């Protein structure tokens, strides 16, 4: 249809049949209509038809292209089994929006698929919907539709997020050039360290962390903050960008590989929060978490030298800290110079879904 995009969406439905296990406490939801009623307030876009139809309609703004991303999260991999349902809802949307931010895109809508190992409790769905509501209000997008089902395996939340960019202006990750400055937003390692403390609370005392520092690390793991304020700045100033989800070392290697160049970064230049700085000072080996722990959801950007000053100034005006950590090189290797001046030797380069333990159970 001219000027419109039709999106095929399976109805939100819970498979019928008796279920003896469930998540959370309170009334078990055996009725698909009950789940739909709890999720319907999230569908504020007119084309979602209040989740009453099989499909939705999305009409992008004139003069824009659509950018799409899907990145599921699963219990035991991306969040702990005792995670608050509101935090699960927030994180499910935020990790996808982080990718849009790195592409220079503005979010507008998303699709949701929920896979339950057993019938959910009403209280869990209510909390989950509340977390999604917070995230979509904060970041400016709404639910269009989706599906629910029951299957073996962990609870899984799959979101497909849709954003817009001016034609031809999506920021790629394979277009970095030798000589560009290498920047990251925010701070690194907080989420990975927060997960470590959640799994082993004794680390808080060993690292001499204050209650505020503990809360910071926990929040960074449970509720990522996509850097959407940088989207337009990346389009204007960056040659390439991507979000950091699997660790700086691994994601930088990905950028270099597809760009056909290398990079040199300095460990001393990596931005750390006060909490992370305390942790690595007490236990220097935790720099591994900073470099390869994953779950940062910050932006890695390659910025041509003539644009660096303007990029820094614009990011500061937007309230987002950006730090130059190195530069892209003509050689294809990726080197991270350690505090001693020698290349850092990593135990692992970063997170890999097909190697090692699940992310939420690691470290």
């Amino acid at each position: 249809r001219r000027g419109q995009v039709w999106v095929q969406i399976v109805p939100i439905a819970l498979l019928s049949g008796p279920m003896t296990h469930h998540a959370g406490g309170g009334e078990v939801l055996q009725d698909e209509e009950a789940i739909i009623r709890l999720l319907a307030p999230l569908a504020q876009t007119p084309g979602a038809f209040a989740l009453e139809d099989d499909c939705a309609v999305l009409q992008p703004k004139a003069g824009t292209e659509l950018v799409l991303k899907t990145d599921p999260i699963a219990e035991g991999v991306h969040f702990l089994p005792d995670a608050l349902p509101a935090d699960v809802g927030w994180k499910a949307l935020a990790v996808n929006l982080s990718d849009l931010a790195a592409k220079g895109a503005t979010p507008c809508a998303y699709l949701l698929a929920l896979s339950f190992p057993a019938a959910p409790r009403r209280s869990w769905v209510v909390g989950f919907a509340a977390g999604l509501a917070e995230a979509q209000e904060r970041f400016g997008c709404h639910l269009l539709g989706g599906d629910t089902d029951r299957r073996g395996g962990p609870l899984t939340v799959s979101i497909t997020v849709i954003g817009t960019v001016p034609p031809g202006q999506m920021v790629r990750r394979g277009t970095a050039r030798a000589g560009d400055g290498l920047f990251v937003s925010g701070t690194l390692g907080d989420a990975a360290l927060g997960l470590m403390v959640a799994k082993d609370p004794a680390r808080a005392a060993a690292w001499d962390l204050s209650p505020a520092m503990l809360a910071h690390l926990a929040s960074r793991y449970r509720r990522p903050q996509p850097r959407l304020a940088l989207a337009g700045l990346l389009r204007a100033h960056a040659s390439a960008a991507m979000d950091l989800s699997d660790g700086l070392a691994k994601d930088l290697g990905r950028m270099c590989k597809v760009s056909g160049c290398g990079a040199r970064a300095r460990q001393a230049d990596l931005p750390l929060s006060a909490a992370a700085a305390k942790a690595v000072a007490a236990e220097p080996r935790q720099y591994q978490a900073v470099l390869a722990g994953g779950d940062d959801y910050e932006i890695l950007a390659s910025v041509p030298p003539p644009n660096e000053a303007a990029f820094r100034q614009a990011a500061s005006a937007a309230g987002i800290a950006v730090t130059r950590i190195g530069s892209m090189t003509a050689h294809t290797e990726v080197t991270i110079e350690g505090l001693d001046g020698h290349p850092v030797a990593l135990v692992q380069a970063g997170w890999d879904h097909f190697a090692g333990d699940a992310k939420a159970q690691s470290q």
Side-chain angles (χ1 to χ4, degrees):
R1 198 175 196 178
R2 186 176 179 86
Q4 294 183 330
V5 175
W6 290 89
V7 183
Q8 178 68 37
I9 303 171
V10 184
I12 292 183
L14 185 67
L15 295 183
S16 59
M19 303 179 188
T20 58
H21 298 87
H22 44 262
E27 173 194 357
V28 177
L29 296 177
Q30 299 281 6
D31 180 356
E32 95 177 73
E33 295 301 324
I35 295 178
I36 292 173
R37 284 194 296 271
L38 294 175
L39 296 174
L42 301 173
Q44 299 174 23
T45 303
F49 307 118
L51 306 185
E52 294 175 348
D53 211 310
D54 302 74
C55 296
V57 175
L58 176 64
Q59 184 171 8
K61 292 181 180 179
T64 65
E65 294 177 335
L66 295 180
V67 179
L68 301 98
K69 170 66 180 181
T70 186
D71 196 355
I73 66 171
E75 180 182 347
V77 180
H78 307 91
F79 60 93
L80 296 168
D82 62 353
L84 294 175
D87 290 343
V88 176
W90 175 288
K91 187 169 189 175
L93 184 53
V95 300
N96 283 276
L97 295 176
S98 181
D99 278 293
L100 285 193
K103 300 300 99 184
T106 300
C108 57
Y110 65 96
L111 307 177
L112 167 68
L114 287 167
S115 294
F116 292 105
R121 294 285 188 177
R122 185 181 191 280
S123 59
W124 192 95
V125 178
V126 168
F128 174 79
L132 271 179
E134 286 183 77
Q136 69 176 37
E137 182 177 358
R138 172 80 64 87
F139 303 122
C141 56
H142 298 102
L143 177 66
L144 274 180
D147 183 40
T148 68
D149 63 25
R150 181 189 180 189
R151 66 182 70 175
L155 168 65
T156 303
V157 185
S158 299
I159 281 182
T160 298
V161 72
I162 305 165
T164 60
V165 293
Q169 293 189 36
M170 188 186 87
V171 183
R172 304 282 301 278
R173 74 178 181 183
T175 48
R177 298 186 292 268
D180 287 351
L182 190 62
F183 287 80
V184 294
S185 65
T187 56
L188 303 179
D190 293 325
L193 294 168
L195 173 58
M196 289 185 192
V197 174
K199 299 294 292 181
D200 181 9
R203 281 181 156 136
W207 296 344
D208 192 26
L209 300 180
S210 69
M213 290 176 177
L214 284 172
H216 170 78
L217 296 182
S219 177
R220 290 277 283 159
Y221 176 66
R222 296 170 182 163
R223 294 207 171 198
Q225 300 293 323
R227 304 303 187 182
L228 290 165
L230 291 181
L233 311 186
L234 295 172
R235 295 199 308 269
H237 303 295
S239 61
M242 64 183 294
D243 95 312
L244 291 173
S245 57
D246 293 330
L248 172 66
K250 185 162 193 169
D251 288 332
L252 176 55
R254 288 167 168 160
M255 177 183 282
C256 290
K257 183 177 181 179
V258 294
S259 295
C261 57
R264 187 172 187 87
R266 296 178 70 244
Q267 184 176 334
D269 293 333
L270 301 183
L272 301 180
S273 68
K278 268 233 174 175
V280 299
E283 195 176 353
R285 71 186 181 93
Q286 295 308 342
Y287 259 113
Q288 295 280 333
V290 175
L291 290 166
D295 267 354
D296 291 307
Y297 300 107
E298 295 290 354
I299 302 296
L300 175 68
S302 173
V303 181
N307 297 354
E308 287 188 23
F311 178 62
R312 290 178 190 265
Q313 183 177 5
S316 177
I320 305 294
V322 296
T323 304
R324 194 183 196 278
I325 63 169
S327 60
M328 307 301 292
T329 65
H331 303 290
T332 55
E333 65 269 13
V334 176
T335 302
I336 299 176
E337 179 185 305
L339 299 178
D340 59 1
H342 295 98
V344 174
L346 295 171
V347 175
Q348 63 180 47
W351 171 250
D352 188 330
H353 282 279
F354 299 94
D357 295 330
K359 189 180 288 189
Q361 298 174 344
S362 65
Q363 288 109 24

